[in-house]
Amino acid sequence: MLNGSLMTPAPSGGGGAGGRGGGCPPVGIQLEGLILPPVLTIDVILGLLGNIVALWIFCFKLKSWNPNALFLFNLVIADFFALVSLPLRIDALLRGHWVFGDGMCRINLFLMFSNRSASIALMTVVAIYRYFKVVHPHHRFNRMTKRQAAFVSVFVWMLVISPRVPMLAYNHIKGSGNKTQCFFFTSYKEASRAIIILVAMHRILTVLEFIIPLAMLIFCSARISCFLRKRQMGKPGKVRKAMRMCGAIVVVFMVCFLPTTVTTIGVWVIRSYRPWDCASFYTFTQLTIVSLGLNFLNSALDPIVYVFSSSMFRKALVGALPRALRCKADDGDSKNAASSSGSQSTTQMELKSMRADRESEAS
C-alpha cells in the first residue's frame, strides 16, 4: 500500500502556499527516508522468516489439503509479492533516488498496492469459511471441494488485480539523474487526468476494501464466539481461547490496515474541502509514513493467522518441530486431554469435521 509520502501528493486548488491552482509544494522524502528503511527492513526479515516456514509446511509437511489450507496458501503467495518488492523500495529510500528504471517502478508499485487488497480479501475468505464450518456445519458451503476452492481463489485474485492493472500502463518516474523518484504521482498540477482518476479510484478502493471486510470479520468472529459459548457452557477456558483466536485475526487486521485507511481519508478530505491547509496535509502525510510500516507488517503477522485458522497447519507445524520441543507439546496435549476427559473438545470436533471433508472430497 502506497499513499501520501511515497506518492508525494499535494492538494490542488486553493490559496495559501501556492495560490489558486498551485496547491501546496510537493512533500519531500527526508522524513520518509529516515523512518521507513528500518521499519520496512524489520517487516521484510520477520515476514520472510514466517512465510518461508509457512511455505515449507504447506509444500512439504502438509499431508492433505482442504479448501481452508488452499486459501491460506494463497495468502502466503500474496505476502511474498509484497516482501519481494520491499527491498527495491528500501534501496531507493537509502540512496535517495530510484535506479531500477521505469519498468521495475511500475511492477514495484503494482505489487505493493496489490498485496494489501489480496491480503484483506483472502483473510476475509478464510474467516467466512471458518464461520460456516463452526456455526453452520451442515451448510452446503462446507462441502466445497478443492477444485471449487481453487476457482474461488482465482476469482479473488482477478477481483484484486483488475483495478490495479491500469497502474502498469503509466510512467511513474519523476525527475532524472540522482533526483529520479518512483512515485505514483507528485501533484495534481503535474499529473495527467488519467493518473488523477486512477488515484481517486485507488482511494475509494482503499476505504471500501477495509470497511466492508472489517464488518464481515467482526460479524464472523462474534457469531463464532457466541456459538462456542453456548456449546461449551462448562468450559469457560476453552471459550476464552476460541474468542482469543477470533480476536487475534481482527486485531491483526486493525493494526495493519486501519492507520492507512484513516490517513487516506484524511488526505482525501483535505484535498476536497481544505486544499489551502498545507500544515494539515503535511501532518497526515507524515502519519501515512508511519502507517506504511504497519501496513506491510501484515506479511509478518499472517503466520499467526495460519496457526489460528487451520488445525492441519498446527499439526504439521508441531510435527516439524525438533523432537525435544515436540515431546513437550505432546505432554501438554496429554495433560489437557486428561483434564477434559469425558467431554468432547472443540479441537476434536474440528478434527471430525476435517475427516468428513476428506471423505466427501475423496468421493
Side-chain angles (χ1 to χ4, degrees):
M1 171 64 187
L2 295 177
N3 219 342
S5 59
L6 289 184
M7 299 183 294
T8 59
S12 62
R20 179 165 294 278
C24 302
V27 181
I29 65 169
Q30 290 80 10
L31 184 60
E32 174 184 314
L34 180 65
I35 294 178
L36 277 183
V39 175
L40 294 182
T41 300
I42 293 173
D43 290 346
V44 170
I45 293 174
L46 295 179
L48 284 177
L49 288 175
N51 284 281
I52 287 175
V53 172
L55 190 63
W56 175 63
I57 289 176
F58 277 120
C59 294
F60 301 106
K61 295 296 182 180
L62 209 60
K63 296 181 179 179
S64 61
W65 287 60
N66 62 10
N68 188 56
L70 188 59
F71 296 145
L72 292 175
F73 178 76
N74 278 270
L75 187 56
V76 176
I77 300 302
D79 288 337
F80 268 107
F81 279 163
L83 294 171
V84 299
S85 65
L86 285 182
L88 298 185
R89 183 59 57 180
I90 294 171
D91 178 87
L93 290 169
L94 292 175
R95 292 176 185 267
H97 61 282
W98 181 265
V99 298
F100 302 104
D102 174 48
M104 288 303 299
C105 174
R106 301 186 192 198
I107 295 173
N108 181 262
L109 292 175
F110 173 77
L111 292 178
M112 295 178 78
F113 273 97
S114 299
N115 164 259
R116 181 183 191 270
S117 302
S119 295
I120 291 175
L122 291 166
M123 200 179 299
T124 305
V125 170
V126 169
I128 293 173
Y129 184 82
R130 186 172 182 84
Y131 162 75
F132 276 98
K133 275 290 184 183
V134 175
V135 181
H136 303 288
H138 302 297
H139 195 279
R140 65 178 183 177
F141 185 84
N142 294 316
R143 296 193 293 272
M144 179 186 300
T145 64
K146 287 180 286 188
R147 181 185 295 272
Q148 291 170 334
F151 282 124
V152 172
S153 300
V154 171
F155 174 77
V156 169
W157 278 109
M158 292 179 62
L159 188 66
V160 165
I161 291 177
S162 297
R164 311 298 184 188
V165 169
M167 189 178 300
L168 297 172
Y170 296 94
N171 182 2
H172 306 292
I173 294 291
K174 306 296 178 183
S176 60
N178 62 357
K179 294 184 178 180
T180 301
Q181 300 295 339
C182 174
F183 290 146
F184 193 19
F185 72 105
T186 54
S187 70
Y188 276 160
K189 184 178 180 180
E190 299 177 27
S192 65
R193 183 173 180 81
I195 294 293
I196 294 174
I197 294 174
L198 188 61
V199 171
M201 182 177 68
H202 157 70
R203 289 205 172 105
I204 294 173
L205 288 173
T206 298
V207 176
L208 291 181
E209 71 186 11
F210 174 81
I211 294 177
I212 296 176
L214 177 62
M216 298 176 70
L217 285 173
I218 292 176
F219 170 80
C220 292
S221 299
R223 291 288 292 122
I224 290 173
S225 299
C226 291
F227 179 84
L228 292 177
R229 185 182 292 110
K230 291 179 181 178
R231 290 299 183 96
Q232 302 287 339
M233 293 296 292
K235 304 173 188 176
K238 291 186 178 294
V239 175
R240 286 195 297 269
K241 183 178 180 181
M243 293 177 66
R244 285 196 297 268
M245 291 180 179
C246 297
I249 298 177
V250 177
V251 168
V252 169
F253 189 88
M254 294 283 288
V255 169
C256 295
F257 302 122
L258 177 61
T260 304
T261 304
V262 171
T263 55
T264 297
I265 294 174
V267 173
W268 198 351
V269 170
I270 293 171
R271 281 187 177 281
S272 301
Y273 300 104
R274 299 180 62 86
W276 62 87
D277 191 354
C278 296
S280 297
F281 170 71
Y282 293 146
T283 299
F284 272 95
T285 300
Q286 293 173 20
L287 291 174
T288 301
I289 294 174
V290 178
S291 73
L292 284 171
L294 294 175
N295 210 150
F296 292 109
L297 185 62
N298 82 91
S299 298
L301 296 180
D302 277 346
I304 299 175
V305 177
Y306 311 151
V307 173
F308 282 167
S309 301
S310 174
S311 59
M312 295 174 64
F313 184 90
R314 289 195 300 272
K315 184 177 180 181
L317 179 61
V318 171
L321 292 174
R323 184 175 299 274
L325 295 177
R326 197 186 314 168
C327 291
K328 292 180 180 180
D330 292 340
D331 291 341
D333 291 340
S334 63
K335 291 180 180 178
N336 291 334
S339 63
S340 60
S341 59
S343 60
Q344 188 178 46
S345 66
T346 304
T347 304
Q348 290 172 329
M349 294 170 61
E350 189 176 2
L351 289 173
K352 285 187 176 183
S353 177
M354 286 190 296
R355 293 191 192 102
D357 289 344
R358 294 173 188 172
E359 292 174 0
S360 63
E361 291 173 3
S363 61

